[in-house]
Amino acid sequence: MSLQNYRLINIDQLDPDSPSNFNISSLSPAAAAAPVSSADVQTLAGQVRQLLRGGDAEGALLGALENAPYGGDDRAKEVHLATVVEVLQSIKQSDMSPMLTRMYQAEGGTEKLDVLMKYLYKGMSHSSQASSSSGKSISPQTTGFSQVHSRSGGEGGGSAMSVLLSWHEKLVEIAGPGSIVRVMTDRRTV
């Protein structure tokens, strides 16, 4: 009889279905993203703006969404976010639903709308960060409520936030709440 301490045996190494034997790199598509330089994103932004000036807002939006710089540095991602927000602000509210419906029904439409949802959330977070760090002060009102206003007296990113919220509403209406769940669980960031 052998004297073996069974408490010291790692049974996960012996089980092929164990999570410790699973290749975790297959779960992270962000690691597979090719690096993108800021210059490439600047070039793409110029092409998207040219489409926008030519009157092809849907083509500009599709071009921006199809080429999301997952492997880019922070500067490249900021430039691309500004480009996407510029495109979104240039589209009339009456054109939103038909455009999103066409994108959703096209090949790979769900993925494109998910990328758009990522940009909406990133744009909203940047708008709120910019407005909260811009030196807001709180003044008490006679109604008992406090009112937040900036020192310059303007709203700041209020118009951009309004546009992003209206796009979010239309996008959830067409793609459903599953888009929100997919965006929140995706490890790739825009």
Side-chain angles (χ1 to χ4, degrees):
M1 183 149 203
S2 73
L3 296 172
Q4 177 130 8
N5 189 353
Y6 289 102
R7 287 185 249 165
L8 299 178
I9 295 176
N10 186 357
I11 60 170
D12 288 333
Q13 290 179 343
L14 304 174
D15 184 14
D17 294 331
S18 171
S20 65
N21 293 329
F22 184 75
N23 184 6
I24 296 176
S25 65
S26 65
L27 294 176
S28 178
V36 179
S37 70
S38 295
D40 293 339
V41 174
Q42 291 278 5
T43 304
L44 176 65
Q47 293 170 352
V48 167
R49 285 188 183 99
Q50 187 174 5
L51 283 171
L52 201 55
R53 275 186 249 119
D56 187 13
E58 187 170 354
L61 183 59
L62 285 172
L65 296 178
E66 289 173 349
N67 299 307
Y70 288 120
D73 59 349
D74 288 340
R75 175 72 182 135
K77 290 181 179 186
E78 294 293 325
V79 168
H80 200 70
L81 172 65
T83 304
V84 171
V85 170
E86 180 182 342
V87 171
L88 293 177
Q89 288 177 329
S90 70
I91 297 172
K92 293 185 286 187
Q93 191 156 2
S94 61
D95 296 338
M96 286 181 192
S97 291
M99 184 182 298
L100 289 172
T101 303
R102 285 191 300 272
M103 288 172 59
Y104 184 65
Q105 293 170 346
E107 179 82 20
T110 304
E111 290 82 17
K112 291 175 192 156
L113 293 184
D114 288 350
V115 172
L116 177 58
M117 184 68 81
K118 288 179 186 181
Y119 278 109
L120 292 177
Y121 284 138
K122 184 165 185 172
M124 286 183 215
S125 72
H126 276 38
S127 293
S128 66
Q129 287 174 357
S131 65
S132 67
S133 66
S134 65
K136 297 237 182 218
S137 61
I138 299 176
S139 65
Q141 299 296 313
T142 57
T143 59
F145 296 104
S146 295
Q147 182 173 349
V148 177
H149 56 85
S150 63
R151 289 183 184 158
S152 62
E155 274 295 309
S159 64
M161 182 64 83
S162 171
V163 169
L164 296 174
L165 285 172
S166 61
W167 274 97
H168 185 271
E169 176 188 3
K170 300 293 183 186
L171 185 57
V172 171
E173 183 179 300
I174 291 170
S179 178
I180 297 171
V181 174
R182 287 188 298 273
V183 167
M184 294 295 177
T185 58
D186 195 355
R187 297 175 71 129
R188 298 174 297 169
T189 58
V190 293

